[in-house]
Amino acid sequence: MTGAFTIGSRKIVENMIIDLGGKIQKSPGLKTDFLVIGILGSVEWIHSSYGRKIEKAVEIRDVEGRNINIISEEHFIKFV
């Protein structure tokens, strides 16, 4: 998870993921399947300065060739 979420605190989102059988990591790694980005983004993102978690997830996906899905909070909510 990265960013701020409209559905509640990070702890609430974390508990939702755990209740669905998921595991939480501090940062994306080779075992990461999803990175969920909160709708309430950072001011820096407006200027294309992505957060380190997003950069790491893109690197894992594009350079390492791992199947990591980077999804918005909207998509997360829709599919849970």
Side-chain angles (χ1 to χ4, degrees):
M1 302 178 305
T2 190
F5 294 84
T6 60
I7 57 174
S9 69
R10 282 180 170 237
K11 191 65 177 168
I12 289 172
V13 178
E14 184 176 306
N15 287 337
M16 289 174 69
I17 292 169
I18 292 169
D19 288 347
L20 292 167
K23 295 180 182 177
I24 307 298
Q25 296 173 289
K26 280 191 165 191
S27 64
L30 295 177
K31 293 183 179 183
T32 302
D33 293 316
F34 294 93
L35 174 64
V36 182
I37 303 172
I39 292 173
L40 304 175
S42 167
V43 174
E44 289 82 23
W45 296 354
I46 295 170
H47 305 290
S48 298
S49 176
Y50 301 110
R52 292 295 303 144
K53 288 181 184 177
I54 297 170
E55 289 177 356
K56 183 67 176 173
V58 169
E59 178 184 326
I60 291 167
R61 185 191 65 198
D62 296 347
V63 176
E64 301 289 335
R66 304 291 295 186
N67 187 22
I68 183 169
N69 299 286
I70 302 168
I71 62 172
S72 70
E73 176 184 355
E74 290 174 309
H75 284 101
F76 173 73
I77 294 167
K78 182 178 178 180
F79 292 105
V80 296

